[in-house]
Structure formats: structure tokens, C-alpha cells
Amino acid sequence: MTFIKPYVIISHTHANQLYHSKTTISDGSIMEMVIWQLPEITEERPHGLKYRFNYSLPDGTTLARYDNESKKGDHRHIYAKEQPYIFRTIEQLFIDFFDDIVANGGLLQ
């Protein structure tokens, strides 16, 4: 007989959601932006934020995504190409994301 030990994942890091917006654009694209304040600053996230900004075309293709996934740090995706991103401020994050959407043929409304 085999016994499986139960386990529990306990998280001591409780992030506080600062912002969340999800919008369906007139052409059917979806734009979602989420920002969390982390309980502590880390080497990986020196700004103390976790974020995910995503713009998907109606067929599900990612046109632009900005995020700072664990072990990857701040980066962006333009279509399938991943590139480093230098995070400056939350305001600049919005500007850069919107600029990339428009520069790559996306709509903001």
C-alpha cells in the first residue's frame, strides 16, 4: 500500500492589487492591465511591483505584453519576440505599452 503525504503550499507574500482593468476594444481585441504591490522589494523586482499588461488580438494572438514574471525580470513581448524592458515608473509603463500597441497596428478604443 502506498501512502501519499498531503502537502500545503503556504504563501507568506501577500501582494496588494493596485490596479486592474480589462477592456474589449472595438475590433474585438482585449487589453488587460494588472499591477500588484509586493510586500517587499527583491533583487528581481527592485521596484516592489508585479505587473502584467497584455493586448491580445481577436484571434488570441498577443500583440503586446509587458510583465515581470519570476526569474525573467522586466520584459516585453511584441508578437512572439521577447525583449528586455527597463522599468522606470508606473506612468512610463502605461505610456510604453500604449505606444507599442499603436506602433504595431493595435487600437486603444
Side-chain angles (χ1 to χ4, degrees), residues 55-98:
Y55 187 101
S56 297
L57 298 173
D59 68 1
T61 302
T62 296
L63 183 144
R65 183 171 72 239
Y66 282 60
D67 65 291
N68 60 346
E69 182 180 330
S70 183
K71 298 186 177 136
K72 284 190 165 189
D74 300 302
H75 63 283
R76 68 182 184 164
H77 306 255
I78 304 300
Y79 289 98
K81 186 177 180 184
E82 185 176 316
Q83 306 165 342
Y85 175 69
I86 297 172
F87 180 92
R88 292 175 181 82
T89 65
I90 290 174
E91 293 79 9
Q92 191 63 49
L93 176 63
F94 277 93
I95 292 167
D96 294 341
F97 180 62
F98 294 152

Side-chain angles (χ1 to χ4, degrees), residues 16-85:
N16 180 34
Q17 190 174 77
L18 298 177
Y19 180 82
H20 181 236
S21 172
K22 186 172 183 179
T23 305
T24 301
I25 307 302
S26 60
D27 68 350
S29 295
I30 296 175
M31 180 168 51
E32 184 172 21
M33 299 167 287
V34 187
I35 304 171
W36 296 270
Q37 177 70 56
L38 300 173
E40 58 188 38
I41 292 173
T42 64
E43 185 176 323
E44 188 174 61
R45 295 183 178 122
H47 40 64
L49 301 172
K50 168 80 176 119
Y51 60 88
R52 183 186 71 248
F53 284 29
N54 189 66
Y55 187 101
S56 297
L57 298 173
D59 68 1
T61 302
T62 296
L63 183 144
R65 183 171 72 239
Y66 282 60
D67 65 291
N68 60 346
E69 182 180 330
S70 183
K71 298 186 177 136
K72 284 190 165 189
D74 300 302
H75 63 283
R76 68 182 184 164
H77 306 255
I78 304 300
Y79 289 98
K81 186 177 180 184
E82 185 176 316
Q83 306 165 342
Y85 175 69

